[in-house]
Each structure stands twice: as structure tokens, then as C-alpha cells.
mmCIF file of all heavy atoms in Angstrom:
data_model
loop_
_atom_site.group_PDB
_atom_site.id
_atom_site.type_symbol
_atom_site.label_atom_id
_atom_site.label_comp_id
_atom_site.label_asym_id
_atom_site.label_seq_id
_atom_site.Cartn_x
_atom_site.Cartn_y
_atom_site.Cartn_z
ATOM 1 N N ASP K 407 0.829 -1.198 0.000
ATOM 2 C CA ASP K 407 0.000 0.000 0.000
ATOM 3 C C ASP K 407 0.867 1.253 0.000
ATOM 4 O O ASP K 407 0.516 2.266 -0.630
ATOM 5 C CB ASP K 407 -0.923 0.004 1.217
ATOM 6 C CG ASP K 407 -1.997 -1.071 1.144
ATOM 7 O OD1 ASP K 407 -2.156 -1.700 0.076
ATOM 8 O OD2 ASP K 407 -2.689 -1.278 2.158
ATOM 9 N N ALA K 408 1.978 1.192 0.700
ATOM 10 C CA ALA K 408 2.886 2.348 0.759
ATOM 11 C C ALA K 408 3.442 2.674 -0.629
ATOM 12 O O ALA K 408 3.585 3.849 -0.993
ATOM 13 C CB ALA K 408 4.019 2.076 1.736
ATOM 14 N N HIS K 409 3.746 1.635 -1.404
ATOM 15 C CA HIS K 409 4.274 1.835 -2.753
ATOM 16 C C HIS K 409 3.199 2.472 -3.651
ATOM 17 O O HIS K 409 3.479 3.405 -4.421
ATOM 18 C CB HIS K 409 4.738 0.498 -3.323
ATOM 19 C CG HIS K 409 5.678 0.625 -4.479
ATOM 20 N ND1 HIS K 409 6.239 -0.460 -5.111
ATOM 21 C CD2 HIS K 409 6.151 1.709 -5.143
ATOM 22 C CE1 HIS K 409 7.009 -0.043 -6.105
ATOM 23 N NE2 HIS K 409 6.965 1.270 -6.141
ATOM 24 N N LEU K 410 1.979 1.984 -3.545
ATOM 25 C CA LEU K 410 0.880 2.568 -4.309
ATOM 26 C C LEU K 410 0.628 4.017 -3.887
ATOM 27 O O LEU K 410 0.404 4.894 -4.724
ATOM 28 C CB LEU K 410 -0.393 1.754 -4.122
ATOM 29 C CG LEU K 410 -0.468 0.410 -4.849
ATOM 30 C CD1 LEU K 410 -1.684 -0.376 -4.386
ATOM 31 C CD2 LEU K 410 -0.526 0.629 -6.357
ATOM 32 N N GLN K 411 0.672 4.253 -2.592
ATOM 33 C CA GLN K 411 0.448 5.601 -2.079
ATOM 34 C C GLN K 411 1.492 6.571 -2.617
ATOM 35 O O GLN K 411 1.167 7.700 -3.009
ATOM 36 C CB GLN K 411 0.485 5.560 -0.551
ATOM 37 C CG GLN K 411 0.042 6.825 0.136
ATOM 38 C CD GLN K 411 -0.166 6.584 1.617
ATOM 39 O OE1 GLN K 411 -0.958 5.722 2.025
ATOM 40 N NE2 GLN K 411 0.552 7.325 2.438
ATOM 41 N N GLU K 412 2.727 6.130 -2.664
ATOM 42 C CA GLU K 412 3.802 6.970 -3.204
ATOM 43 C C GLU K 412 3.551 7.274 -4.686
ATOM 44 O O GLU K 412 3.736 8.409 -5.145
ATOM 45 C CB GLU K 412 5.145 6.274 -3.026
ATOM 46 C CG GLU K 412 6.336 7.081 -3.531
ATOM 47 C CD GLU K 412 7.648 6.343 -3.352
ATOM 48 O OE1 GLU K 412 7.639 5.208 -2.828
ATOM 49 O OE2 GLU K 412 8.701 6.896 -3.742
ATOM 50 N N ALA K 413 3.125 6.264 -5.431
ATOM 51 C CA ALA K 413 2.872 6.463 -6.860
ATOM 52 C C ALA K 413 1.724 7.428 -7.106
ATOM 53 O O ALA K 413 1.772 8.257 -8.020
ATOM 54 C CB ALA K 413 2.581 5.114 -7.516
ATOM 55 N N LEU K 414 0.688 7.352 -6.270
ATOM 56 C CA LEU K 414 -0.477 8.210 -6.458
ATOM 57 C C LEU K 414 -0.254 9.618 -5.924
ATOM 58 O O LEU K 414 -0.949 10.555 -6.323
ATOM 59 C CB LEU K 414 -1.696 7.594 -5.773
ATOM 60 C CG LEU K 414 -2.188 6.262 -6.346
ATOM 61 C CD1 LEU K 414 -3.325 5.707 -5.506
ATOM 62 C CD2 LEU K 414 -2.634 6.429 -7.790
ATOM 63 N N SER K 415 0.708 9.782 -5.032
ATOM 64 C CA SER K 415 0.953 11.094 -4.435
ATOM 65 C C SER K 415 1.786 11.999 -5.329
ATOM 66 O O SER K 415 1.791 13.222 -5.139
ATOM 67 C CB SER K 415 1.644 10.933 -3.069
ATOM 68 O OG SER K 415 0.804 10.246 -2.160
ATOM 69 N N GLY K 416 2.505 11.413 -6.279
ATOM 70 C CA GLY K 416 3.229 12.225 -7.245
ATOM 71 C C GLY K 416 2.275 12.736 -8.311
ATOM 72 O O GLY K 416 1.067 12.490 -8.270
ATOM 73 N N LYS K 417 2.781 13.482 -9.252
ATOM 74 C CA LYS K 417 1.926 14.031 -10.307
ATOM 75 C C LYS K 417 2.218 13.395 -11.658
ATOM 76 O O LYS K 417 1.797 13.895 -12.699
ATOM 77 C CB LYS K 417 2.096 15.543 -10.389
ATOM 78 C CG LYS K 417 1.786 16.274 -9.091
ATOM 79 C CD LYS K 417 1.917 17.772 -9.250
ATOM 80 C CE LYS K 417 1.810 18.469 -7.899
ATOM 81 N NZ LYS K 417 2.957 18.172 -7.026
ATOM 82 N N ASP K 418 2.959 12.273 -11.656
ATOM 83 C CA ASP K 418 3.313 11.621 -12.911
ATOM 84 C C ASP K 418 2.087 11.090 -13.641
ATOM 85 O O ASP K 418 1.975 11.188 -14.861
ATOM 86 C CB ASP K 418 4.292 10.469 -12.649
ATOM 87 C CG ASP K 418 5.608 10.960 -12.073
ATOM 88 O OD1 ASP K 418 6.094 12.012 -12.529
ATOM 89 O OD2 ASP K 418 6.132 10.301 -11.160
ATOM 90 N N LEU K 419 1.149 10.510 -12.880
ATOM 91 C CA LEU K 419 -0.051 9.929 -13.481
ATOM 92 C C LEU K 419 -1.327 10.591 -13.006
ATOM 93 O O LEU K 419 -2.227 10.857 -13.805
ATOM 94 C CB LEU K 419 -0.115 8.433 -13.162
ATOM 95 C CG LEU K 419 0.783 7.509 -13.976
ATOM 96 C CD1 LEU K 419 0.607 6.075 -13.508
ATOM 97 C CD2 LEU K 419 0.462 7.616 -15.456
ATOM 98 N N PHE K 420 -1.450 10.820 -11.727
ATOM 99 C CA PHE K 420 -2.665 11.375 -11.136
ATOM 100 C C PHE K 420 -2.332 12.679 -10.419
ATOM 101 O O PHE K 420 -1.475 12.710 -9.550
ATOM 102 C CB PHE K 420 -3.294 10.382 -10.150
ATOM 103 C CG PHE K 420 -3.779 9.114 -10.795
ATOM 104 C CD1 PHE K 420 -2.969 7.984 -10.819
ATOM 105 C CD2 PHE K 420 -5.035 9.042 -11.381
ATOM 106 C CE1 PHE K 420 -3.401 6.804 -11.419
ATOM 107 C CE2 PHE K 420 -5.477 7.870 -11.984
ATOM 108 C CZ PHE K 420 -4.658 6.750 -11.999
ATOM 109 N N ASP K 421 -3.027 13.734 -10.792
ATOM 110 C CA ASP K 421 -2.817 15.047 -10.189
ATOM 111 C C ASP K 421 -4.060 15.391 -9.372
ATOM 112 O O ASP K 421 -5.100 15.757 -9.916
ATOM 113 C CB ASP K 421 -2.581 16.093 -11.277
ATOM 114 C CG ASP K 421 -2.221 17.463 -10.718
ATOM 115 O OD1 ASP K 421 -2.271 17.636 -9.478
ATOM 116 O OD2 ASP K 421 -1.904 18.356 -11.525
ATOM 117 N N PHE K 422 -3.954 15.257 -8.050
ATOM 118 C CA PHE K 422 -5.099 15.462 -7.170
ATOM 119 C C PHE K 422 -5.340 16.925 -6.817
ATOM 120 O O PHE K 422 -6.239 17.211 -6.024
ATOM 121 C CB PHE K 422 -4.928 14.632 -5.885
ATOM 122 C CG PHE K 422 -5.342 13.189 -6.028
ATOM 123 C CD1 PHE K 422 -4.440 12.238 -6.479
ATOM 124 C CD2 PHE K 422 -6.624 12.781 -5.706
ATOM 125 C CE1 PHE K 422 -4.809 10.897 -6.604
ATOM 126 C CE2 PHE K 422 -7.002 11.450 -5.829
ATOM 127 C CZ PHE K 422 -6.094 10.507 -6.282
ATOM 128 N N ARG K 423 -4.574 17.849 -7.368
ATOM 129 C CA ARG K 423 -4.905 19.259 -7.187
ATOM 130 C C ARG K 423 -6.201 19.564 -7.949
ATOM 131 O O ARG K 423 -6.444 18.983 -9.020
ATOM 132 C CB ARG K 423 -3.767 20.141 -7.707
ATOM 133 C CG ARG K 423 -2.478 20.035 -6.903
ATOM 134 C CD ARG K 423 -1.364 20.820 -7.559
ATOM 135 N NE ARG K 423 -1.045 20.292 -8.889
ATOM 136 C CZ ARG K 423 -0.173 20.842 -9.725
ATOM 137 N NH1 ARG K 423 0.448 21.975 -9.377
ATOM 138 N NH2 ARG K 423 0.055 20.295 -10.905
ATOM 139 N N PRO K 424 -7.047 20.443 -7.423
ATOM 140 C CA PRO K 424 -8.347 20.675 -8.064
ATOM 141 C C PRO K 424 -8.259 20.982 -9.558
ATOM 142 O O PRO K 424 -8.982 20.380 -10.369
ATOM 143 C CB PRO K 424 -8.921 21.845 -7.267
ATOM 144 C CG PRO K 424 -8.338 21.675 -5.909
ATOM 145 C CD PRO K 424 -6.942 21.169 -6.140
ATOM 146 N N ALA K 425 -7.383 21.903 -9.950
ATOM 147 C CA ALA K 425 -7.283 22.251 -11.374
ATOM 148 C C ALA K 425 -6.827 21.055 -12.195
ATOM 149 O O ALA K 425 -7.292 20.850 -13.325
ATOM 150 C CB ALA K 425 -6.328 23.423 -11.570
ATOM 151 N N GLY K 426 -5.927 20.251 -11.637
ATOM 152 C CA GLY K 426 -5.402 19.092 -12.349
ATOM 153 C C GLY K 426 -6.447 18.026 -12.568
ATOM 154 O O GLY K 426 -6.598 17.497 -13.680
ATOM 155 N N LEU K 427 -7.182 17.680 -11.518
ATOM 156 C CA LEU K 427 -8.172 16.607 -11.666
ATOM 157 C C LEU K 427 -9.371 17.058 -12.501
ATOM 158 O O LEU K 427 -9.948 16.257 -13.247
ATOM 159 C CB LEU K 427 -8.597 16.080 -10.294
ATOM 160 C CG LEU K 427 -9.328 16.992 -9.315
ATOM 161 C CD1 LEU K 427 -10.825 16.969 -9.523
ATOM 162 C CD2 LEU K 427 -9.004 16.578 -7.875
ATOM 163 N N ILE K 428 -9.730 18.337 -12.412
ATOM 164 C CA ILE K 428 -10.825 18.851 -13.241
ATOM 165 C C ILE K 428 -10.455 18.759 -14.718
ATOM 166 O O ILE K 428 -11.259 18.329 -15.558
ATOM 167 C CB ILE K 428 -11.167 20.302 -12.841
ATOM 168 C CG1 ILE K 428 -11.866 20.325 -11.481
ATOM 169 C CG2 ILE K 428 -12.040 20.973 -13.898
ATOM 170 C CD1 ILE K 428 -12.023 21.716 -10.887
ATOM 171 N N ALA K 429 -9.211 19.138 -15.035
ATOM 172 C CA ALA K 429 -8.760 19.068 -16.428
ATOM 173 C C ALA K 429 -8.632 17.626 -16.895
ATOM 174 O O ALA K 429 -9.021 17.279 -18.022
ATOM 175 C CB ALA K 429 -7.429 19.794 -16.573
ATOM 176 N N ASP K 430 -8.102 16.754 -16.038
ATOM 177 C CA ASP K 430 -7.870 15.359 -16.403
ATOM 178 C C ASP K 430 -9.175 14.653 -16.770
ATOM 179 O O ASP K 430 -9.222 13.853 -17.714
ATOM 180 C CB ASP K 430 -7.182 14.645 -15.236
ATOM 181 C CG ASP K 430 -6.389 13.421 -15.675
ATOM 182 O OD1 ASP K 430 -6.365 13.122 -16.880
ATOM 183 O OD2 ASP K 430 -5.783 12.768 -14.795
ATOM 184 N N LEU K 431 -10.238 14.956 -16.049
ATOM 185 C CA LEU K 431 -11.520 14.294 -16.286
ATOM 186 C C LEU K 431 -12.461 15.101 -17.176
ATOM 187 O O LEU K 431 -13.551 14.626 -17.515
ATOM 188 C CB LEU K 431 -12.212 14.001 -14.948
ATOM 189 C CG LEU K 431 -11.496 13.021 -14.012
ATOM 190 C CD1 LEU K 431 -12.294 12.834 -12.722
ATOM 191 C CD2 LEU K 431 -11.259 11.676 -14.685
ATOM 192 N N GLY K 432 -12.066 16.308 -17.541
ATOM 193 C CA GLY K 432 -12.932 17.130 -18.392
ATOM 194 C C GLY K 432 -14.233 17.508 -17.715
ATOM 195 O O GLY K 432 -15.298 17.517 -18.350
ATOM 196 N N LEU K 433 -14.162 17.877 -16.447
ATOM 197 C CA LEU K 433 -15.373 18.076 -15.659
ATOM 198 C C LEU K 433 -16.105 19.387 -15.951
ATOM 199 O O LEU K 433 -17.281 19.517 -15.601
ATOM 200 C CB LEU K 433 -15.038 17.998 -14.164
ATOM 201 C CG LEU K 433 -14.492 16.650 -13.674
ATOM 202 C CD1 LEU K 433 -14.219 16.695 -12.180
ATOM 203 C CD2 LEU K 433 -15.444 15.504 -14.007
ATOM 204 N N LEU K 434 -15.421 20.347 -16.563
ATOM 205 C CA LEU K 434 -16.084 21.620 -16.849
ATOM 206 C C LEU K 434 -16.877 21.592 -18.153
ATOM 207 O O LEU K 434 -17.784 22.407 -18.341
ATOM 208 C CB LEU K 434 -15.056 22.757 -16.906
ATOM 209 C CG LEU K 434 -14.367 23.099 -15.583
ATOM 210 C CD1 LEU K 434 -13.350 24.205 -15.795
ATOM 211 C CD2 LEU K 434 -15.391 23.507 -14.524
ATOM 212 N N LYS K 435 -16.524 20.679 -19.041
ATOM 213 C CA LYS K 435 -17.200 20.586 -20.334
ATOM 214 C C LYS K 435 -17.539 19.126 -20.622
ATOM 215 O O LYS K 435 -16.853 18.454 -21.400
ATOM 216 C CB LYS K 435 -16.326 21.165 -21.442
ATOM 217 C CG LYS K 435 -16.062 22.663 -21.283
ATOM 218 C CD LYS K 435 -15.208 23.207 -22.429
ATOM 219 C CE LYS K 435 -14.986 24.705 -22.290
ATOM 220 N NZ LYS K 435 -14.157 25.256 -23.404
ATOM 221 N N PRO K 436 -18.580 18.617 -19.970
ATOM 222 C CA PRO K 436 -18.945 17.206 -20.182
ATOM 223 C C PRO K 436 -19.163 16.889 -21.662
ATOM 224 O O PRO K 436 -19.840 17.643 -22.369
ATOM 225 C CB PRO K 436 -20.241 17.066 -19.386
ATOM 226 C CG PRO K 436 -20.169 18.136 -18.348
ATOM 227 C CD PRO K 436 -19.465 19.289 -19.010
ATOM 228 N N HIS K 437 -18.574 15.802 -22.098
ATOM 229 C CA HIS K 437 -18.711 15.374 -23.497
ATOM 230 C C HIS K 437 -19.219 13.940 -23.508
ATOM 231 O O HIS K 437 -18.542 13.021 -23.044
ATOM 232 C CB HIS K 437 -17.368 15.468 -24.219
ATOM 233 C CG HIS K 437 -17.428 15.033 -25.657
ATOM 234 N ND1 HIS K 437 -18.090 15.765 -26.623
ATOM 235 C CD2 HIS K 437 -16.931 13.931 -26.287
ATOM 236 C CE1 HIS K 437 -17.989 15.131 -27.780
ATOM 237 N NE2 HIS K 437 -17.297 14.025 -27.599
ATOM 238 N N GLY K 438 -20.423 13.740 -24.025
ATOM 239 C CA GLY K 438 -20.995 12.404 -24.067
ATOM 240 C C GLY K 438 -21.634 11.969 -22.765
ATOM 241 O O GLY K 438 -22.018 10.807 -22.619
ATOM 242 N N TRP K 439 -21.748 12.881 -21.817
ATOM 243 C CA TRP K 439 -22.393 12.589 -20.535
ATOM 244 C C TRP K 439 -22.876 13.909 -19.947
ATOM 245 O O TRP K 439 -22.549 14.980 -20.432
ATOM 246 C CB TRP K 439 -21.431 11.894 -19.568
ATOM 247 C CG TRP K 439 -20.210 12.714 -19.217
ATOM 248 C CD1 TRP K 439 -19.082 12.875 -19.972
ATOM 249 C CD2 TRP K 439 -20.017 13.511 -18.038
ATOM 250 N NE1 TRP K 439 -18.190 13.716 -19.345
ATOM 251 C CE2 TRP K 439 -18.735 14.113 -18.152
ATOM 252 C CE3 TRP K 439 -20.778 13.765 -16.900
ATOM 253 C CZ2 TRP K 439 -18.214 14.961 -17.172
ATOM 254 C CZ3 TRP K 439 -20.259 14.608 -15.918
ATOM 255 C CH2 TRP K 439 -18.996 15.184 -16.047
ATOM 256 N N SER K 440 -23.676 13.838 -18.907
ATOM 257 C CA SER K 440 -24.147 15.037 -18.226
ATOM 258 C C SER K 440 -24.151 14.780 -16.729
ATOM 259 O O SER K 440 -24.188 13.633 -16.270
ATOM 260 C CB SER K 440 -25.559 15.410 -18.689
ATOM 261 O OG SER K 440 -26.501 14.448 -18.236
ATOM 262 N N TYR K 441 -24.123 15.855 -15.968
ATOM 263 C CA TYR K 441 -24.211 15.705 -14.512
ATOM 264 C C TYR K 441 -25.581 15.165 -14.107
ATOM 265 O O TYR K 441 -25.684 14.412 -13.129
ATOM 266 C CB TYR K 441 -23.909 17.031 -13.818
ATOM 267 C CG TYR K 441 -22.426 17.332 -13.795
ATOM 268 C CD1 TYR K 441 -21.864 18.217 -14.703
ATOM 269 C CD2 TYR K 441 -21.590 16.701 -12.887
ATOM 270 C CE1 TYR K 441 -20.502 18.483 -14.698
ATOM 271 C CE2 TYR K 441 -20.220 16.947 -12.868
ATOM 272 C CZ TYR K 441 -19.672 17.843 -13.776
ATOM 273 O OH TYR K 441 -18.323 18.081 -13.779
ATOM 274 N N ARG K 442 -26.623 15.536 -14.846
ATOM 275 C CA ARG K 442 -27.929 14.998 -14.494
ATOM 276 C C ARG K 442 -27.939 13.466 -14.577
ATOM 277 O O ARG K 442 -28.573 12.790 -13.768
ATOM 278 C CB ARG K 442 -29.024 15.571 -15.408
ATOM 279 C CG ARG K 442 -30.397 15.084 -14.954
ATOM 280 C CD ARG K 442 -31.499 15.287 -15.947
ATOM 281 N NE ARG K 442 -32.589 14.365 -15.642
ATOM 282 C CZ ARG K 442 -33.661 14.213 -16.375
ATOM 283 N NH1 ARG K 442 -33.810 14.921 -17.485
ATOM 284 N NH2 ARG K 442 -34.585 13.340 -16.030
ATOM 285 N N GLU K 443 -27.216 12.911 -15.552
ATOM 286 C CA GLU K 443 -27.158 11.449 -15.672
ATOM 287 C C GLU K 443 -26.563 10.796 -14.434
ATOM 288 O O GLU K 443 -26.912 9.661 -14.098
ATOM 289 C CB GLU K 443 -26.320 11.056 -16.887
ATOM 290 C CG GLU K 443 -26.959 11.297 -18.225
ATOM 291 C CD GLU K 443 -26.015 10.886 -19.349
ATOM 292 O OE1 GLU K 443 -25.944 9.685 -19.647
ATOM 293 O OE2 GLU K 443 -25.344 11.773 -19.915
ATOM 294 N N THR K 444 -25.653 11.492 -13.756
ATOM 295 C CA THR K 444 -25.037 10.902 -12.561
ATOM 296 C C THR K 444 -26.032 10.780 -11.419
ATOM 297 O O THR K 444 -25.817 9.993 -10.489
ATOM 298 C CB THR K 444 -23.838 11.739 -12.072
ATOM 299 O OG1 THR K 444 -24.299 12.994 -11.512
ATOM 300 C CG2 THR K 444 -22.849 12.018 -13.185
ATOM 301 N N ALA K 445 -27.100 11.568 -11.455
ATOM 302 C CA ALA K 445 -27.947 11.784 -10.289
ATOM 303 C C ALA K 445 -28.932 10.659 -10.007
ATOM 304 O O ALA K 445 -29.683 10.735 -9.035
ATOM 305 C CB ALA K 445 -28.694 13.118 -10.428
ATOM 306 N N ALA K 446 -28.971 9.630 -10.820
ATOM 307 C CA ALA K 446 -29.810 8.465 -10.541
ATOM 308 C C ALA K 446 -29.077 7.213 -11.001
ATOM 309 O O ALA K 446 -28.391 7.230 -12.019
ATOM 310 C CB ALA K 446 -31.166 8.570 -11.238
#
């Protein structure tokens, strides 16, 4: 778990800063999905 935690805490693959994760997932401009779809 410590090895995985180290890998996820860097920014090589996953960027947990708000701007980084929003950009990575395209959360400001949903394409092919909507937030309403998540709600049920």
C-alpha cells in the first residue's frame, strides 16, 4: 500500500490538485455525458 500511495501522491499519473483533476476528467465541459445522468 505504501508503494501505491507513493505512486499516487506524485503528479506523474494522477494530479489530485483541483485544477489538475478537473482538467484530467474534463469536468467543466462534459462530453458524451451530463451531470444529471449521474444523479440516478
Side-chain angles (χ1 to χ4, degrees):
D407 291 350
H409 199 178
L410 286 171
Q411 190 168 302
E412 181 181 359
L414 295 175
S415 297
K417 302 182 189 68
D418 297 320
L419 282 179
F420 296 95
D421 186 354
F422 278 87
R423 293 174 298 175
L427 64 88
I428 288 170
D430 204 0
L431 296 180
L433 297 181
L434 293 178
K435 296 181 178 180
H437 180 69
W439 61 280
S440 69
Y441 283 100
R442 185 195 159 185
E443 287 179 81
T444 70

